[in-house]
Amino acid sequence: MSHVVMQAAEFSTIAAAEQAAAELRRLVADYVAYEETADAPWSEGAVPAPLVELGQRHGVPWPGDASSRFMLKGLFKDEANVLSVDRLVFFWGGGFDLGGAWLRAVLLRGLGAVYCTDLPRLAVRVDDPQARAAASGEFLVEEDHEEQFTLTSDDAALDDALFTITFERDGDRVHLTFDDSGDWAFVAMLPQLSGDDPALRAPARGLDASVIDGGGALG
């Protein structure tokens, strides 16, 4: 099974997130059409037209090198997914890369995201973090994701995780952590957070600039 590559963005309002999700779905539709009609859609020398056009719409010049490409495991129509969860938008597929810093620049500059990341850490305020984390673990086991996640109150576990979800209230925190063997379990959890207003948050022990990317390095 291929691993998840993901871009996640937080917006100030649900309406802004839904608008961004619609733009990403347009990109998916354009990319599916490109794969179906281009003479050599996966040529290393080609800059896919949908990416160039996305950048033009949002003021981000899309470069013609490997750092800007989409590299999914199979066809875009089978692999690409877009999901909005309250103020958050997730764009993912099984593969190797999904636009990198250039796509995050579009999300930030053109679509007005507050934060973007390719390694999302989510914080969710709930009434009872312990109970909610336990219920989430039970859900994942029922969905055949047993042994693909860890439940812990140890903040140090965040450092070694690929993706995380933290349920918290007034200093009480429980983490669901997912390494590269549990990335699809993380994806399965995302719809379960609808209505909880999750937020993107960096690991407790400092911010890695390569994770939360404001696009500043792009000029």
Side-chain angles (χ1 to χ4, degrees):
M1 179 181 292
S2 58
H3 292 302
V4 170
V5 286
M6 177 176 287
Q7 301 288 353
E10 179 178 339
F11 295 83
S12 58
T13 65
I14 292 175
E18 290 175 344
Q19 182 178 358
E23 177 67 4
L24 289 174
R25 292 188 182 100
R26 174 183 175 182
L27 170 63
V28 170
D30 290 347
Y31 209 94
V32 168
Y34 166 77
E35 284 189 329
E36 291 176 344
T37 59
D39 291 335
W42 305 288
S43 169
E44 291 185 4
V47 181
L51 302 184
V52 176
E53 293 163 2
L54 175 72
Q56 289 175 341
R57 288 197 298 272
H58 299 290
V60 176
W62 206 276
D65 58 49
S67 68
S68 72
R69 296 178 64 84
F70 287 169
M71 291 183 284
L72 296 186
K73 190 75 171 180
L75 292 173
F76 223 69
K77 66 180 180 181
D78 299 323
E79 294 290 346
N81 297 272
V82 179
L83 177 69
S84 59
V85 180
D86 301 338
R87 294 180 300 111
L88 303 187
V89 175
F90 302 92
F91 180 34
W92 77 91
F96 310 98
D97 201 357
L98 201 56
W102 304 100
L103 182 58
R104 292 194 291 277
V106 167
L107 289 167
L108 281 163
R109 297 178 186 175
L111 294 174
V114 178
Y115 298 112
C116 294
T117 178
D118 58 357
L119 294 173
R121 276 82 164 118
L122 307 184
V124 188
R125 291 189 58 81
V126 295
D127 291 336
D128 188 336
Q130 301 289 336
R132 182 59 183 278
S136 297
E138 291 174 2
F139 163 78
L140 288 172
V141 171
E142 291 172 357
E143 293 296 308
D144 296 325
H145 294 298
E146 189 174 7
E147 299 182 358
Q148 296 180 23
F149 66 94
T150 300
L151 277 174
T152 179
S153 296
D154 183 4
D155 289 345
L158 297 174
D159 295 340
D160 298 321
L162 185 65
F163 305 135
T164 67
I165 300 171
T166 297
F167 298 107
E168 62 180 10
R169 181 184 180 185
D170 299 332
D172 184 15
R173 298 190 293 179
V174 184
H175 310 294
L176 271 172
T177 67
F178 308 84
D179 60 19
D180 60 5
S181 66
D183 43 10
W184 291 104
F186 175 78
V187 166
M189 269 299 301
L190 295 179
Q192 304 300 310
L193 304 178
S194 179
D196 290 321
D197 195 31
L200 290 177
R201 178 169 300 172
R205 265 176 269 200
L207 179 65
D208 182 342
S210 69
V211 173
I212 301 291
D213 188 342
L218 303 181

